[in-house]
């Protein structure tokens, strides 16, 4: 059963990821990105990470993709991209070649590593997941609020900084303030 | 025996995640539209998340899943700030590509 789920979700993931980078229209790219994220959420469910699948859909599909769509619409969808223009000569063929070579090398390494090693020892927390019989939200919450509580706090600070930064960056300066700034700069130069 | 009868091994997930990451890198290197480049960064982050979840199950350690949650949050913050920069740049120069904003000088 898991195999069938994996194959279907993997095909959707790869195809829609190619759709993201090949679509001419940015709106199509955004929609393809959403398909990729849903397929990855399915893969999370297949690996017993139910809470993360829900968060993936809520945060990514619900918030980030909508934010992308907002910006695409705000800036106009006619951001026509001329693929003929090549600022650095031979960059694209070089990029494609290097990426494909690295990907093939990585896949070969994974296959080799998977074939010769026995299953490594489980960590300390293995008992938790097996005792209660699930990798459920309760255990994940316990881990986050005990072992990773400082990371959690720092993440909260990061989000606050992000919001403030976004507001500051996109704020239109009022005309009066702009004139005052100009006056201040000129005063500094004198 | 059909292929569906074969059990999924963790390396399948790792290979898929490697492929997804490579697609992200490829898009980031080839495309010039800053919005699409951001989406490619999201693809790469998702590939890494998939790896984290795979290893979390393989080792029976929930630290991997906790890391995914933090990566998700950082990705959200990154997108918010990145798109804010993009909006304020494109407001001054409509239709700019990544090559037009290659210098940091105003």
């Amino acid at each position: 059963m898991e195999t069938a789920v994996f194959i279907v979700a993997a095909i959707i993931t790869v195809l829609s990821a190619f759709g993201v980078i090949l679509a001419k229209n940015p709106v199509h790219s955004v929609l393809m990105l959403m398909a990729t994220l849903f397929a990855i959420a399915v893969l999370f469910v297949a690996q017993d990470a139910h809470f993360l699948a829900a968060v993936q859909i809520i945060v990514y599909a619900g918030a980030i993709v909508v934010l992308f769509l907002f910006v695409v619409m705000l800036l106009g969808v006619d951001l026509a991209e001329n693929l003929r223009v090549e600022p650095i000569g031979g960059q694209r063929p070089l990029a494609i070649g290097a990426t494909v070579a690295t990907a093939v090398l990585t896949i070969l390494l994974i296959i080799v590593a998977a074939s010769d090693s026995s299953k490594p020892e489980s960590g300390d927390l293995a008992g938790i997941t097996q005792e209660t019989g699930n990798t459920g939200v309760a255990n994940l919450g316990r881990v986050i609020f005990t072992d990773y509580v400082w990371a959690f706090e720092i993440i909260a600070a990061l989000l606050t900084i992000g919001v403030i930064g976004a507001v500051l960056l996109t704020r239109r300066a009022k005309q009066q303030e702009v004139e005052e700034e100009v006056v201040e700069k000129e005063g500094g130069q004198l | 025996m059909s292929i569906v009868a074969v059990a999924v091994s963790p390396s399948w997930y790792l290979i898929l995640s490697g492929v997804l990451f490579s697609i992200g890198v490829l898009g980031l290197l080839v495309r010039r539209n800053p919005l699409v480049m951001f989406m490619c960064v999201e693809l790469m982050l998702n590939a890494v998340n998939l790896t984290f979840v795979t290893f979390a199950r393989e080792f029976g350690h929930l630290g991997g899943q906790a890391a995914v949650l933090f990566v998700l949050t950082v990705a959200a913050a990154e997108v918010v700030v990145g798109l804010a920069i993009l909006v304020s740049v494109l407001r001054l120069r409509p239709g700019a590509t990544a090559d037009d904003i290659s210098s940091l000088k105003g």
Side-chain angles (χ1 to χ4, degrees):
Chain A
M1 183 60 196
E2 197 195 337
T3 314
V5 171
F6 175 83
I7 290 172
V8 172
I11 290 171
I12 294 175
T13 308
V14 172
L15 286 186
S16 49
F18 270 116
V20 171
I21 68 171
L22 293 180
K24 288 210 173 93
N25 191 335
V27 176
H28 295 168
S29 283
V30 175
L31 295 178
M32 287 295 179
L33 181 68
M34 194 184 256
T36 315
L37 299 174
F38 267 100
I40 289 177
V42 170
L43 290 175
F44 281 177
V45 172
Q47 293 188 297
D48 300 327
H50 301 113
F51 176 69
L52 288 180
V55 169
Q56 169 97 354
I57 288 177
I58 292 170
V59 172
Y60 262 115
I64 293 183
V65 170
V66 171
L67 197 63
F68 268 116
L69 268 181
F70 257 112
V71 173
V72 170
M73 298 296 181
L74 187 69
L75 300 176
V77 288
D78 55 338
L79 277 173
E81 183 177 359
N82 189 358
L83 280 174
R84 299 247 168 75
V85 177
E86 203 166 6
I88 307 171
Q91 182 221 8
R92 290 215 172 86
L94 204 65
I96 292 171
T99 313
V100 170
T102 316
V104 170
L105 200 67
T106 313
I107 290 169
L108 285 179
L109 272 176
I110 292 171
I111 291 171
V112 169
S115 62
D116 73 348
S117 71
S118 57
K119 196 170 180 180
E121 287 179 26
S122 295
D124 298 343
L125 289 173
I128 294 178
T129 56
Q130 272 145 25
E131 271 171 23
T132 52
N134 61 20
T135 56
V137 186
N139 287 324
L140 184 59
R142 195 183 306 141
V143 170
I144 288 173
F145 286 107
T146 53
D147 294 355
Y148 299 96
V149 66
W150 287 113
F152 186 81
E153 299 289 340
I154 293 169
I155 282 290
L158 179 77
L159 278 179
T160 315
I161 295 168
V163 169
I164 295 172
V167 171
L168 273 180
L169 280 168
T170 52
R171 197 181 64 112
R172 259 182 228 269
K174 287 175 191 162
Q175 193 58 38
Q176 200 182 349
E177 291 179 28
V178 172
E179 285 166 6
E180 281 171 9
E181 275 179 25
V182 169
V183 169
E184 277 174 20
K185 270 187 194 167
E186 284 172 353
Q189 281 165 358
L190 291 172
Chain B
M1 190 174 101
S2 66
I3 191 168
V4 178
V6 181
V8 181
S9 79
S11 50
W12 291 24
Y13 286 100
L14 295 182
I15 289 171
L16 173 65
S17 146
V19 170
L20 196 61
F21 192 89
S22 308
I23 295 173
V25 172
L26 191 64
L28 191 70
L29 290 175
V30 169
R31 294 299 298 259
R32 293 165 69 230
N33 186 338
L35 272 167
V36 180
M37 290 169 75
F38 262 112
M39 287 179 222
C40 293
V41 173
E42 296 305 310
L43 280 184
M44 290 195 277
L45 285 169
N46 268 282
V48 175
N49 279 352
L50 191 58
T51 320
F52 267 127
V53 171
T54 306
F55 278 122
R57 188 173 73 158
E58 177 68 3
F59 292 114
H61 194 303
L62 278 174
Q65 293 198 12
V68 171
L69 203 64
F70 296 139
V71 171
L72 265 171
T73 325
V74 172
E78 171 245 327
V79 165
V80 167
V81 175
L83 288 181
I85 293 175
L86 208 60
V87 166
S88 59
V89 165
L90 290 186
R91 206 184 260 157
L92 293 174
R93 311 178 203 179
T97 62
D99 303 306
D100 301 332
I101 24 183
S102 57
S103 85
L104 280 177
K105 289 178 193 166

